[in-house]
Amino acid sequence: MSIEILTLLFFGSLLFFLLLGLPLAFVLGGVSVVFLYFTWGFDSFYMVVSQISGTMASFTLVAIPLFVFMAMVLERTGVAKDLYRMMHLWFGGLRGGLALGTLAICAVFAAMVGISGAAVVAMGTIALPSMLERGYDRKMALGVINTGGGWGILIPPSILMILYALITGVSVGQMFAAGIMPGVLLMVLTSIYIVVRANLQPHLAPALPKEDRGTWPEKLRALRAVLLPIGVVVMVLGSIIGGITTPTEAAAMGVLGALISAAVYGELKWSVMQDAAIRTFKLTGMIMWILFAAHAFSAAYQSMGAQALIEGLIQYIPGGPWGIIIAMMVIIFFLAMVLDPVGIMLITLPVFMPIVKSLGFDPIWFGILFVINMEIGYKTPPFGFNLFYLKGVVPPGITMKDIYTSVIPFVLIEILAIAIIMIFPEIATWLPDQFF
Amino acid sequence: MSVLTTFMRGVTRLNDFIGRGIALLVFAMFGFLLLEVGFRYLLNSPTVWTNELSQMLFGVYAIMSGGYIMAHRGHVNVDLLHSHLAPRKRAVMDIITSVVFFIFTLALLWFGIDVASESIASWETSYSAWNPPVWPVKLAIPIGTGLLVLQGLVKLLEDIAIAFNLDYYQPAREEPEDSEGEYL
Amino acid sequence: PAAAQDAVTWKVQSHWPGSSSSYTDSLGRLKRVLEERTDGRLKLQLFEAGALFKATDTFNAVSRGILEMGTISPSYAQDKISLAGIASGLPFAFRNVWEAAYFHQNMGFEAMLREEAAQYGVYWATDKVYPTEMVVKKPIKSWEDFTSLKIRSSGALQTFLTEAGAAASYIPGSELYSALDSGIVDGAHWGAAQGALSMGLYEVAKYHVQPALNIAGTDVIIVSQKALDKLPEDMQKIVKDALAEQFWVRTNEYQYKEQLALAKAQAEFGVEVNTLPQDVQQKLAQTAQKLWDEEGKRGEKAEKALEMLKGFLTDLGYL
Ligand code: NA
Ligand code: NA
């Protein structure tokens, strides 16, 4: 059977069983096993186990339960609540103020972690209830968290950039430097969107009524609430920048900071800790089972000859160099709807990179476009990690449909960002050129 | 019929018990990573075992979560269609899709047993500088998957009972999708 | 046209990422050579590290016949191959690449490896022998400089460096660059010059340490015996001959590219070669020899290989 038809059947059955409501992890795993059986035979199931035990042995993933646990502790002990109360007192007069504050926290979080999911879970736990409580539209709140939570792979450190550098041979340091200004660009674009939208439709992100905005003494007293979170951030970022820990180990510093905060709040109790641990277990396990199956799914697709398909596709592209770059972005965009980033890298980059280089484009610049496209992929239906992370923490009553539709404007913003960086490559290339 | 009920309750309790225990491993991972940072940064003598042990614990932690999460309906799905269906129709649909679930988990169980027994046969170690045995982690694959399969069986029995109005399982009043509040 | 009908395609799982020079130079070459010499009857379908199987499972996958071919580091097969420890390199044993090559091909070490792997249905062919060398942020000028180092290492070399008095720890490859940059570690080894260049390590560590920590057949091509037996006899011979030739071509080419990479590092990143002082080298060699004996305890074959190695090094006047 040709790879074109296999691809249609493979992704078709994925969509079919997803729509029937079978949990994602089992759809990915089951579809992989069935297709492996018909293309490679019974013995190939060994590959599924191998992919799973490989994922189990990934040290960088240890950061996920730790950052999630940190968020759970900060939420359970009331630190997070006070932080949002403070933000509301100070920025409450501004329409969309709370969403802007959430984006700022997301950016800080992104500078602490090299992966995407932890921030989504953390902000979904901490920020979402606070925004909903204060009358924010659920789609606005969900979209903000989904988009801000994804910045972790664009703002350094970033595991995805390191992988990109490893596969393509560009400098890790230059990739990191290249991510900073596009990160700022995304922040600015997203903030503009929120402010404009909140002023056109105030009910989406309402300002605090005048009488509730608090007096100056109240505002100043509320500022104490930022001290502990700032302390946690300093512990995590400081230990990475100061050469004390790797980004993964820094997650442990985050937990330490959260535990200290809990002690200050007098909430360092076994019941609180146990509760946070169990919720962390449920979330991390849910994420990991999806990841197990997603890796098996990508491996199965690669074994069927995915790379040959990409090689074939790229030959039919008209429109000169820019046509090819845009076509590559479109291919990545569609792959990212159904595959995980690592799988996409392994399938596309070996085909794309020689072409990108021979057309005279900067591979660092292409890498930034690639990473932003992966951020989009994390939140595009049907398969986007951030969507499912978020579904794992939202209060009952919020459906997958809410989450799916909430990302639309934010995906458009990121596509706009890709377009801007295509037109002005200096946004990505200027900073790394200063360093080396 | 009471045999079925006992089986279903037993499996769910087993998964609950194991899950609550494994969940505490997060403290161990935290502790070991912190210890390593301390040893390396403060005492300038990194250990060979802390990071590898955390990583191994994480592998066990992740794979053993499947059954517990299933018992608490924590495996995320796309509910676009699901949420509009009446309970009986939903149960019928879940019975049909459970085929895909069992294909995946049984294949994993079969080859997980294969891989684990091979690892135990040679008392496989990691051959890192610390060189710990890795077979306990490999053994966690079939055990974790086995627990998930059992819980999947419980879910299937529940769905059959709902679909055909059998009396061995009475669904509790509309269970909350997410169990945020249940531990409070 | 007739040949296309009996064309066989082998799935090949690499342990190198696509950007590694060996992915194209070793596997790309083998693919080309085999296709040419079999008139297109044998095709290789290459997969990057981790694409299908976890690197450490590749030996098992080939042994089970799920994969027809793969590349590994001998250490991935340590639980099966008792010689793997010696094959992946005893520290401070060989001083030149040609010595390791001679030991493998002319003293019979390669044949011993092949014999042991054959028990698992695997045809073992070392891709090349080459050095593993360290890069550090500040030069090592004395024994104190060495023992105060924090080094990113792995496997047997981590044991060796720790034993010798440095603080060696394992950090995954994906975090190595950041760790070296921020000073979590002051040194690391990732292959030698080409490896360090591909990981960007010279951007943050400017001293390339020589002599090598070890010189060994650290890259191996493994073929499923079952897949090999299925080929017609003329094609079996073509595969085996191509693999035998591969060793010499790649060992030589790799040395050439090492020097190119080092020259590039010196020119573009201002890297300096840091030759270890004589007393440091001597102390390291002493520590190393104690560890060799541990490897000999892996079994009868390992003991025999170690005897052979010691005899060889004695003949060369090193022991
Ligand atoms: Na980041
Ligand atoms: Na997606």
Side-chain angles (χ1 to χ4, degrees):
Chain A
M1 203 183 291
S2 78
I3 178 66
E4 286 81 7
I5 295 173
L6 269 178
T7 300
L8 283 179
L9 286 176
F10 195 50
F11 293 148
S13 21
L14 173 76
L15 291 183
F16 179 72
F17 286 105
L18 271 183
L19 272 179
L20 290 190
L22 183 66
L24 178 72
F26 310 137
V27 177
L28 287 166
V31 170
S32 312
V33 166
V34 170
F35 276 75
L36 277 175
Y37 179 77
F38 286 111
T39 56
W40 198 352
F42 183 70
D43 282 341
S44 63
F45 298 170
Y46 179 62
M47 191 174 85
V48 176
V49 182
S50 174
Q51 285 293 336
I52 289 177
S53 74
T55 312
M56 284 165 72
S58 167
F59 179 66
T60 48
L61 293 178
V62 180
I64 294 182
L66 295 180
F67 274 124
V68 170
F69 184 70
M70 175 191 89
M72 294 294 171
V73 171
L74 289 177
E75 196 258 342
R76 270 293 184 268
T77 52
V79 177
K81 210 173 193 155
D82 286 357
L83 180 67
Y84 267 82
R85 202 180 91 84
M86 181 284 294
M87 278 209 287
H88 218 200
L89 283 176
W90 279 82
F91 309 116
L94 189 66
R95 286 172 184 159
L98 221 44
L100 294 180
T102 301
L103 284 179
I105 299 177
C106 282
V108 173
F109 215 113
M112 303 197 297
V113 297
I115 48 184
S116 169
V120 176
V121 170
M123 297 313 291
T125 310
I126 294 171
L128 188 65
S130 298
M131 283 196 276
L132 294 179
E133 236 168 65
R134 291 171 173 84
Y136 269 58
D137 174 63
R138 58 167 62 167
K139 280 181 193 158
M140 176 61 105
L142 289 167
V144 164
I145 292 168
N146 228 318
T147 210
W151 292 344
I153 55 170
L154 181 63
I155 298 173
S158 160
I159 298 287
L160 209 60
M161 283 186 180
I162 291 174
L163 283 176
Y164 179 86
L166 210 59
I167 294 176
T168 60
V170 301
S171 148
V172 181
Q174 288 196 319
M175 269 309 283
F176 278 6
I180 294 173
M181 280 171 53
V184 173
L185 173 71
L186 270 180
M187 262 182 264
V188 171
L189 289 178
T190 315
S191 304
I192 291 174
Y193 165 76
I194 288 170
V195 171
V196 169
R197 189 88 198 269
N199 278 292
L200 291 177
Q201 295 163 287
H203 63 281
L204 295 181
L208 199 61
K210 276 228 165 59
E211 60 274 16
D212 292 345
R213 281 182 201 166
T215 58
W216 275 104
E218 266 183 294
K219 283 186 183 180
L220 289 175
R221 241 179 294 131
L223 269 187
R224 283 188 310 191
V226 293
L227 292 179
L228 286 172
I230 287 179
V232 176
V233 169
V234 168
M235 282 181 73
V236 175
L237 271 185
S239 59
I240 296 174
I241 296 167
I244 299 171
T245 69
T246 64
T248 304
E249 291 166 341
M253 303 301 275
V255 173
L256 185 64
L259 293 180
I260 293 172
S261 306
V264 172
Y265 271 65
E267 289 284 334
L268 194 59
K269 301 174 202 149
W270 177 242
S271 60
V272 176
M273 293 303 123
Q274 195 184 24
D275 173 45
I278 285 173
R279 297 203 319 158
T280 303
F281 181 56
K282 277 175 69 177
L283 269 173
T284 310
M286 181 271 284
I287 291 166
M288 285 306 296
W289 272 88
I290 295 177
L291 210 53
F292 289 153
H295 285 167
F297 189 81
S298 306
Y301 188 43
Q302 286 183 71
S303 79
M304 288 180 222
Q307 218 163 63
L309 175 75
I310 304 298
E311 273 166 8
L313 274 181
I314 210 80
Q315 283 169 358
Y316 295 105
I317 311 287
W322 282 101
I324 290 177
I325 293 288
I326 291 169
M328 285 175 176
M329 286 297 130
V330 173
I331 291 175
I332 294 169
F333 176 86
F334 280 109
L335 285 179
M337 290 177 85
V338 279
L339 288 176
D340 71 295
V342 179
I344 296 170
M345 279 189 168
L346 287 171
I347 292 170
T348 60
L349 289 182
V351 182
F352 287 175
M353 277 333 282
I355 302 174
V356 169
K357 284 179 190 162
S358 73
L359 292 175
F361 290 108
D362 185 343
I364 301 257
W365 165 79
F366 185 79
I368 295 302
L369 300 183
F370 185 89
V371 170
I372 299 179
N373 214 333
M374 288 301 103
E375 275 190 26
I376 296 176
Y378 271 127
K379 55 176 167 289
T380 47
F383 173 72
F385 275 106
N386 291 0
L387 302 168
F388 293 102
Y389 292 164
L390 205 49
K391 182 68 168 59
V393 288
V394 294
I398 292 186
T399 63
M400 205 65 211
K401 197 172 153 197
D402 294 328
I403 300 178
Y404 276 173
T405 47
S406 73
V407 300
I408 296 170
F410 297 93
V411 167
L412 293 176
I413 291 171
E414 290 192 315
I415 293 176
L416 175 67
I418 290 184
I420 293 177
I421 297 169
M422 278 187 177
I423 300 169
F424 305 102
E426 296 78 14
I427 297 172
T429 57
W430 183 80
L431 201 55
D433 286 346
Q434 305 309 303
F435 277 112
F436 303 106
Chain B
M1 280 306 172
S2 76
V3 183
L4 278 184
T5 317
T6 315
F7 168 76
M8 288 160 69
R9 282 213 192 111
V11 168
T12 306
R13 276 201 195 137
L14 177 69
N15 264 319
D16 206 54
F17 177 77
I18 291 175
R20 284 171 163 269
I22 299 274
L24 302 181
L25 284 182
V26 73
F27 295 110
M29 289 184 263
F30 160 64
F32 289 134
L33 285 192
L34 206 61
L35 201 65
E36 171 67 9
V37 172
F39 268 113
R40 190 182 58 224
Y41 188 71
L42 299 177
L43 307 175
N44 202 31
S45 63
T47 67
V48 292
W49 56 274
T50 43
N51 282 4
E52 194 174 1
L53 182 58
S54 320
Q55 178 196 304
M56 290 167 77
L57 289 177
F58 174 71
V60 174
Y61 179 84
I63 198 86
M64 293 289 288
S65 69
Y68 177 82
I69 294 172
M70 182 125 198
H72 290 269
R73 300 282 183 275
H75 286 294
V76 174
N77 69 342
V78 175
D79 54 9
L80 293 185
L81 211 57
H82 231 220
S83 54
H84 295 295
L85 292 178
R88 282 188 69 181
K89 282 190 180 151
R90 199 188 304 170
V92 171
M93 197 183 268
D94 285 356
I95 293 170
I96 296 168
T97 55
S98 73
V99 175
V100 176
F101 167 84
F102 284 111
I103 286 177
F104 171 49
T105 49
L106 289 175
L108 193 53
L109 184 62
W110 177 270
F111 275 80
I113 291 172
D114 195 35
V115 164
S117 52
E118 194 180 50
S119 179
I120 291 173
S122 63
W123 300 115
E124 189 187 355
T125 59
S126 80
Y127 289 100
S128 63
W130 177 38
N131 199 21
V134 291
W135 60 265
V137 180
K138 295 246 171 108
L139 186 60
I141 297 177
I143 293 178
T145 311
L147 287 168
L148 176 60
V149 169
L150 285 177
Q151 198 65 51
L153 211 55
V154 170
K155 167 91 168 65
L156 180 65
L157 288 171
E158 282 176 16
D159 286 333
I160 292 175
I162 297 170
F164 301 101
N165 255 332
L166 304 178
D167 58 2
Y168 64 82
Y169 172 73
Q170 294 298 327
R173 36 182 179 85
E174 191 65 359
E175 280 182 66
E177 272 286 301
D178 190 274
S179 40
E180 285 296 308
E182 64 181 308
Y183 298 107
L184 288 176
Chain C
Q5 278 185 339
D6 346 288
V8 180
T9 301
W10 280 3
K11 286 193 171 76
V12 186
Q13 166 80 70
S14 159
H15 73 306
W16 297 299
S19 71
S20 160
S21 64
S22 286
Y23 187 81
T24 33
D25 293 349
S26 283
L27 275 179
R29 176 189 182 276
L30 195 62
K31 177 184 159 84
R32 203 176 54 244
V33 163
L34 289 180
E35 218 167 305
E36 261 168 33
R37 294 183 190 169
T38 60
D39 295 321
R41 285 179 296 159
L42 180 58
K43 292 193 162 67
L44 303 187
Q45 188 184 2
L46 307 185
F47 293 94
E48 289 193 48
L52 304 183
F53 292 88
K54 174 168 84 145
T56 46
D57 285 341
T58 308
F59 185 88
N60 282 341
V62 171
S63 168
R64 288 160 177 251
I66 303 168
L67 277 175
E68 288 84 6
M69 191 189 260
T71 66
I72 60 165
S73 161
S75 59
Y76 300 163
Q78 297 223 38
D79 57 324
K80 303 229 160 63
I81 308 290
S82 69
L83 295 172
I86 298 176
S88 32
L90 298 183
F92 282 83
F94 302 115
R95 296 185 186 180
N96 299 291
V97 170
W98 66 262
E99 297 161 6
Y102 191 89
F103 183 70
H104 265 263
Q105 304 294 354
N106 300 55
M107 304 278 297
F109 184 58
E110 183 78 7
M112 288 173 75
L113 281 165
R114 192 162 294 164
E115 191 183 288
E116 205 177 5
Q119 295 168 8
Y120 297 93
V122 171
Y123 184 83
W124 182 290
T126 302
D127 179 56
K128 59 181 168 291
V129 288
Y130 65 94
T132 296
E133 290 166 3
M134 209 165 39
V135 294
V136 291
K137 291 176 77 124
K138 40 188 194 226
I140 303 170
K141 290 184 176 147
S142 65
W143 183 246
E144 283 65 44
D145 285 348
F146 173 78
T147 52
S148 68
L149 281 181
K150 281 186 275 206
I151 304 169
R152 182 272 174 200
S153 182
S154 61
L157 283 178
Q158 188 184 346
T159 314
F160 164 64
L161 291 168
T162 308
E163 202 73 16
S169 57
Y170 175 75
I171 290 169
S174 56
E175 293 195 334
L176 172 55
Y177 176 91
S178 323
L180 203 53
D181 186 24
S182 65
I184 295 168
V185 289
D186 327 292
H189 55 82
W190 190 273
Q194 293 178 74
L197 198 62
S198 78
M199 292 287 281
L201 304 187
Y202 290 128
E203 291 167 19
V204 287
K206 300 293 182 193
Y207 297 91
H208 182 99
V209 180
Q210 280 179 341
L213 295 173
N214 71 34
I215 299 174
T218 322
D219 290 332
V220 182
I221 297 169
I222 50 176
V223 186
S224 153
Q225 190 63 47
K226 204 159 84 184
L228 203 55
D229 291 342
K230 273 192 206 147
L231 297 179
E233 248 165 61
D234 68 312
M235 273 164 75
Q236 290 187 25
K237 184 165 165 25
I238 291 174
V239 172
K240 287 182 181 172
D241 289 350
L243 287 172
E245 175 192 281
Q246 173 101 351
F247 177 88
W248 297 106
V249 173
R250 285 294 293 140
T251 296
N252 189 254
E253 181 184 47
Y254 197 83
Q255 267 190 291
Y256 164 69
K257 294 211 165 171
E258 270 302 304
Q259 190 51 42
L260 284 191
L262 191 54
K264 185 176 174 194
Q266 287 169 312
E268 282 182 22
F269 297 99
V271 168
E272 284 176 35
V273 171
N274 171 207
T275 306
L276 291 175
Q278 209 54 46
D279 63 313
V280 175
Q281 287 193 38
Q282 239 153 32
K283 280 185 182 154
L284 287 176
Q286 277 163 12
T287 312
Q289 284 165 23
K290 271 182 255 158
L291 291 178
W292 296 357
D293 293 328
E294 290 299 310
E295 279 304 326
K297 291 175 192 154
R298 287 268 174 94
E300 233 171 85
K301 288 198 178 84
E303 199 185 329
K304 193 177 149 211
L306 186 61
E307 283 304 303
M308 202 164 85
L309 176 66
K310 281 183 174 167
F312 179 65
L313 294 175
T314 310
D315 292 344
L316 294 176
Y318 297 164
L319 288 184

